[in-house]
Amino acid sequence: MKKTPTRLADGRELIYYDLRDDIVRDAVDRRPLDPTVTRSEIRRDPLLGDSVAIASHRQGRTYHPPAEECPLCPSEGERLSEIPDSSYDVVVFENRFPSLAGDSGRCEVVCFTSDHDASFADLTEEQARLVLDAWTDRTAELSQLPSVKQVFCFENRGAEIGVTLGHPHGQIYAYPFTTPRTALMLRSVAAHKEVSGGENLFDDVLARELAGERVVLESEHWVAFVPYAAHWPYEVHLYPRRRVPDLLALDEAARTEFPQVYLELLRRFDRIFEREGGEGAVNEPRTPYIAAWHQAPFGPTGVPGAERADFALHLELFTVRRTSGKLKFLAGSESGMNVFINDVPPERAADRLREVASS
């Protein structure tokens, strides 16, 4: 992997990640951009104890532009985009409309490929490995910022999720605090360690799933399963067999095998709703999903009894589509009380994901 950092016209950082070492990246951003002005504020809810980012400048962000005006495609001639060069493998740059900025953290965009019409599932294993290396490199760099406590790499795909740019891309949020979901996991880990005499909750969950009926696929270094209490209609958790706290700690064997396993999982997601509805049914467009890496916070966890090494890196992949033509909305119970109601039994979801093997 070759890494080439540069700056955009408004001062934001952009980094090219290339498969070949002989690539030269010297294109200049020719857009007449003013310096970026962002106002992000973190406010703590005194009742719930969680934090909310207030970022009014995001109201002006780019919204569903036509393909020929996509800001994530390479620049070509006089059509200038966020990427100054005429081609790229993987690019990461500071978000022009960040939810977190300055002392409140940082937000970055990760472009997986220059092909506007592709998807992560269309990448080659070599390309997917380059994305993994970019995620890892950015986690390492962002974790060194004084304001950053936790790094979150994720992908939103599909208009149903709320994606406003159709180009295949993800994001990285560097939070100035431990997120509520991670803190909740760490509290569960600490409680389990105390009552079990030192056992690790993540290890025990993985062992139980391996012995059960919800494993979707497994390899020498990775296991993908539908969790026992899945919140979403189709939800898969992907774990390395060897517990590590973050992407930085993955060994080379797990990194090498990851692209094959993850691409297979994404391709199965795209086939969940095929043939649903009987003969003559029209296939749905690509399955909308959220893919989210869960990494340990950096430094002390802030949860008594839970060490950073107790956390298990894993990826959670889920879709808001519950059946052909129908979405899972977060209505009264989910949004009002945070109690999820899942219409698809996890065992049936696992069966379906095994049925639609892409090979």
Side-chain angles (χ1 to χ4, degrees), residues 73-231:
C73 287
S75 292
E76 184 177 353
E78 295 306 310
R79 192 193 66 77
L80 306 178
S81 73
E82 289 279 64
I83 295 89
D85 216 327
S86 58
S87 67
Y88 63 85
D89 290 337
V90 172
V91 166
V92 178
F93 60 88
E94 288 184 74
N95 198 321
R96 192 176 179 186
F97 304 96
S99 302
L100 309 167
D103 292 339
S104 298
R106 176 158 158 152
C107 293
E108 298 182 341
V109 177
V110 184
C111 297
F112 303 139
T113 172
S114 59
D115 184 351
H116 180 85
D117 298 317
S119 174
F120 200 119
D122 298 323
L123 300 182
T124 66
E125 291 184 17
E126 186 180 33
Q127 290 172 313
R129 170 60 190 264
L130 183 61
V131 176
L132 175 63
D133 289 343
W135 282 330
T136 305
D137 181 71
R138 295 314 301 151
T139 297
E141 292 287 334
L142 293 170
S143 69
Q144 298 302 310
L145 297 179
S147 63
V148 172
K149 178 71 173 178
Q150 186 175 356
V151 178
F152 176 46
C153 306
F154 65 100
E155 180 192 2
N156 298 329
R157 189 181 78 167
E160 299 93 332
I161 299 295
V163 174
T164 57
L165 296 176
H167 196 101
H169 72 288
Q171 299 180 66
I172 302 175
Y173 277 23
Y175 297 101
F177 49 81
T178 298
T179 60
R181 188 175 176 88
T182 301
L184 183 58
M185 290 183 195
L186 287 167
R187 287 196 292 272
S188 297
V189 165
H192 183 80
K193 189 195 307 189
E194 182 176 359
V195 300
S196 68
E199 297 296 318
N200 182 272
L201 178 58
F202 286 108
D203 292 349
D204 289 350
V205 166
L206 183 56
R208 286 197 300 270
E209 292 294 354
L210 279 168
E213 57 183 316
R214 290 177 297 275
V215 172
V216 174
L217 61 88
E218 55 181 310
S219 64
E220 183 179 355
H221 301 285
W222 295 88
V223 179
F225 59 88
V226 178
Y228 170 74
H231 290 55

Side-chain angles (χ1 to χ4, degrees), residues 273-288:
F273 303 102
E274 286 183 1
R275 302 189 306 275
E276 197 173 74
E279 186 177 352
V282 177
N283 289 340
E284 294 277 1
R286 285 172 163 168
T287 302

Side-chain angles (χ1 to χ4, degrees), residues 232-248:
W232 298 93
Y234 290 92
E235 175 182 341
V236 175
H237 294 188
L238 177 62
Y239 278 66
R241 289 183 184 267
R242 182 178 70 88
R243 172 166 46 91
V244 295
D246 54 38
L247 289 167
L248 305 176

